[in-house]
PDB file of all heavy atoms in Angstrom:
ATOM      1  N   ASP D 435      14.825 -24.170  -7.315  1.00 97.00           N
ATOM      2  CA  ASP D 435      14.205 -22.905  -7.807  1.00 97.00           C
ATOM      3  C   ASP D 435      15.315 -21.851  -8.149  1.00 97.00           C
ATOM      4  O   ASP D 435      14.809 -20.816  -8.683  1.00 97.00           O
ATOM      5  CB  ASP D 435      13.236 -22.334  -6.764  1.00 97.00           C
ATOM      6  CG  ASP D 435      12.120 -23.304  -6.331  1.00 97.00           C
ATOM      7  OD1 ASP D 435      11.471 -23.757  -7.272  1.00 97.00           O
ATOM      8  OD2 ASP D 435      11.867 -23.539  -5.133  1.00 97.00           O
ATOM      9  N   VAL D 436      16.569 -22.083  -7.961  1.00 97.00           N
ATOM     10  CA  VAL D 436      17.643 -21.157  -8.143  1.00 97.00           C
ATOM     11  C   VAL D 436      17.686 -20.852  -9.619  1.00 97.00           C
ATOM     12  O   VAL D 436      17.685 -21.910 -10.491  1.00 97.00           O
ATOM     13  CB  VAL D 436      18.909 -21.617  -7.544  1.00 97.00           C
ATOM     14  CG1 VAL D 436      20.040 -20.583  -7.940  1.00 97.00           C
ATOM     15  CG2 VAL D 436      18.753 -21.586  -5.901  1.00 97.00           C
ATOM     16  N   SER D 437      17.943 -19.638 -10.085  1.00 96.00           N
ATOM     17  CA  SER D 437      18.046 -19.253 -11.398  1.00 96.00           C
ATOM     18  C   SER D 437      19.069 -20.022 -12.274  1.00 96.00           C
ATOM     19  O   SER D 437      20.111 -20.342 -11.723  1.00 96.00           O
ATOM     20  CB  SER D 437      18.299 -17.759 -11.551  1.00 96.00           C
ATOM     21  OG  SER D 437      18.624 -17.414 -12.769  1.00 96.00           O
ATOM     22  N   ASP D 438      18.629 -20.373 -13.506  1.00 94.00           N
ATOM     23  CA  ASP D 438      19.625 -20.977 -14.385  1.00 94.00           C
ATOM     24  C   ASP D 438      19.589 -20.427 -15.715  1.00 94.00           C
ATOM     25  O   ASP D 438      19.612 -21.170 -16.850  1.00 94.00           O
ATOM     26  CB  ASP D 438      19.198 -22.488 -14.427  1.00 94.00           C
ATOM     27  CG  ASP D 438      17.723 -22.774 -14.960  1.00 94.00           C
ATOM     28  OD1 ASP D 438      17.093 -21.739 -15.194  1.00 94.00           O
ATOM     29  OD2 ASP D 438      17.266 -23.896 -15.140  1.00 94.00           O
ATOM     30  N   LEU D 439      19.503 -19.003 -15.723  1.00 92.00           N
ATOM     31  CA  LEU D 439      19.575 -18.325 -17.096  1.00 92.00           C
ATOM     32  C   LEU D 439      20.783 -18.773 -17.824  1.00 92.00           C
ATOM     33  O   LEU D 439      20.742 -18.882 -19.034  1.00 92.00           O
ATOM     34  CB  LEU D 439      19.566 -16.829 -16.816  1.00 92.00           C
ATOM     35  CG  LEU D 439      18.377 -16.246 -16.298  1.00 92.00           C
ATOM     36  CD1 LEU D 439      18.503 -14.597 -16.151  1.00 92.00           C
ATOM     37  CD2 LEU D 439      17.278 -16.467 -17.411  1.00 92.00           C
ATOM     38  N   THR D 440      21.927 -18.959 -17.221  1.00 89.00           N
ATOM     39  CA  THR D 440      23.129 -19.404 -17.680  1.00 89.00           C
ATOM     40  C   THR D 440      23.817 -20.438 -16.729  1.00 89.00           C
ATOM     41  O   THR D 440      23.678 -20.270 -15.579  1.00 89.00           O
ATOM     42  CB  THR D 440      24.196 -18.369 -18.105  1.00 89.00           C
ATOM     43  OG1 THR D 440      24.688 -17.716 -16.918  1.00 89.00           O
ATOM     44  CG2 THR D 440      23.510 -17.273 -19.026  1.00 89.00           C
ATOM     45  N   PRO D 441      24.678 -21.340 -17.269  1.00 90.00           N
ATOM     46  CA  PRO D 441      25.358 -22.198 -16.168  1.00 90.00           C
ATOM     47  C   PRO D 441      26.209 -21.420 -15.276  1.00 90.00           C
ATOM     48  O   PRO D 441      26.270 -21.771 -14.072  1.00 90.00           O
ATOM     49  CB  PRO D 441      26.242 -23.118 -17.163  1.00 90.00           C
ATOM     50  CG  PRO D 441      25.517 -23.097 -18.536  1.00 90.00           C
ATOM     51  CD  PRO D 441      24.930 -21.757 -18.540  1.00 90.00           C
ATOM     52  N   GLY D 442      26.874 -20.413 -15.660  1.00 90.00           N
ATOM     53  CA  GLY D 442      27.726 -19.566 -14.842  1.00 90.00           C
ATOM     54  C   GLY D 442      26.822 -18.895 -13.660  1.00 90.00           C
ATOM     55  O   GLY D 442      27.178 -18.885 -12.562  1.00 90.00           O
ATOM     56  N   VAL D 443      25.656 -18.291 -14.083  1.00 93.00           N
ATOM     57  CA  VAL D 443      24.802 -17.714 -13.178  1.00 93.00           C
ATOM     58  C   VAL D 443      24.263 -18.677 -12.216  1.00 93.00           C
ATOM     59  O   VAL D 443      24.179 -18.348 -10.969  1.00 93.00           O
ATOM     60  CB  VAL D 443      23.582 -16.986 -13.957  1.00 93.00           C
ATOM     61  CG1 VAL D 443      22.520 -16.576 -12.965  1.00 93.00           C
ATOM     62  CG2 VAL D 443      24.151 -15.753 -14.721  1.00 93.00           C
ATOM     63  N   HIS D 444      23.900 -19.819 -12.698  1.00 95.00           N
ATOM     64  CA  HIS D 444      23.261 -20.869 -11.748  1.00 95.00           C
ATOM     65  C   HIS D 444      24.324 -21.231 -10.682  1.00 95.00           C
ATOM     66  O   HIS D 444      23.845 -21.413  -9.542  1.00 95.00           O
ATOM     67  CB  HIS D 444      23.069 -22.122 -12.586  1.00 95.00           C
ATOM     68  CG  HIS D 444      22.238 -23.128 -11.868  1.00 95.00           C
ATOM     69  ND1 HIS D 444      21.072 -23.023 -11.268  1.00 95.00           N
ATOM     70  CD2 HIS D 444      22.551 -24.434 -11.656  1.00 95.00           C
ATOM     71  CE1 HIS D 444      20.715 -24.076 -10.656  1.00 95.00           C
ATOM     72  NE2 HIS D 444      21.653 -24.987 -10.839  1.00 95.00           N
ATOM     73  N   GLN D 445      25.597 -21.466 -11.060  1.00 95.00           N
ATOM     74  CA  GLN D 445      26.529 -21.956 -10.000  1.00 95.00           C
ATOM     75  C   GLN D 445      26.815 -20.745  -9.062  1.00 95.00           C
ATOM     76  O   GLN D 445      26.865 -21.095  -7.920  1.00 95.00           O
ATOM     77  CB  GLN D 445      27.833 -22.324 -10.737  1.00 95.00           C
ATOM     78  CG  GLN D 445      28.866 -22.933  -9.766  1.00 95.00           C
ATOM     79  CD  GLN D 445      28.337 -24.174  -9.093  1.00 95.00           C
ATOM     80  OE1 GLN D 445      27.641 -25.055  -9.708  1.00 95.00           O
ATOM     81  NE2 GLN D 445      28.638 -24.384  -7.852  1.00 95.00           N
ATOM     82  N   ASP D 446      26.879 -19.598  -9.536  1.00 95.00           N
ATOM     83  CA  ASP D 446      27.121 -18.444  -8.684  1.00 95.00           C
ATOM     84  C   ASP D 446      26.057 -18.358  -7.648  1.00 95.00           C
ATOM     85  O   ASP D 446      26.183 -18.031  -6.496  1.00 95.00           O
ATOM     86  CB  ASP D 446      27.369 -17.167  -9.523  1.00 95.00           C
ATOM     87  CG  ASP D 446      27.588 -15.954  -8.652  1.00 95.00           C
ATOM     88  OD1 ASP D 446      28.525 -15.947  -7.830  1.00 95.00           O
ATOM     89  OD2 ASP D 446      26.886 -14.972  -8.787  1.00 95.00           O
TER      90      ASP D 446
END
Side-chain angles (χ1 to χ4, degrees):
D435 301 306
V436 172
S437 172
D438 57 358
L439 285 178
T440 68
V443 165
H444 183 61
Q445 188 59 40
D446 181 52

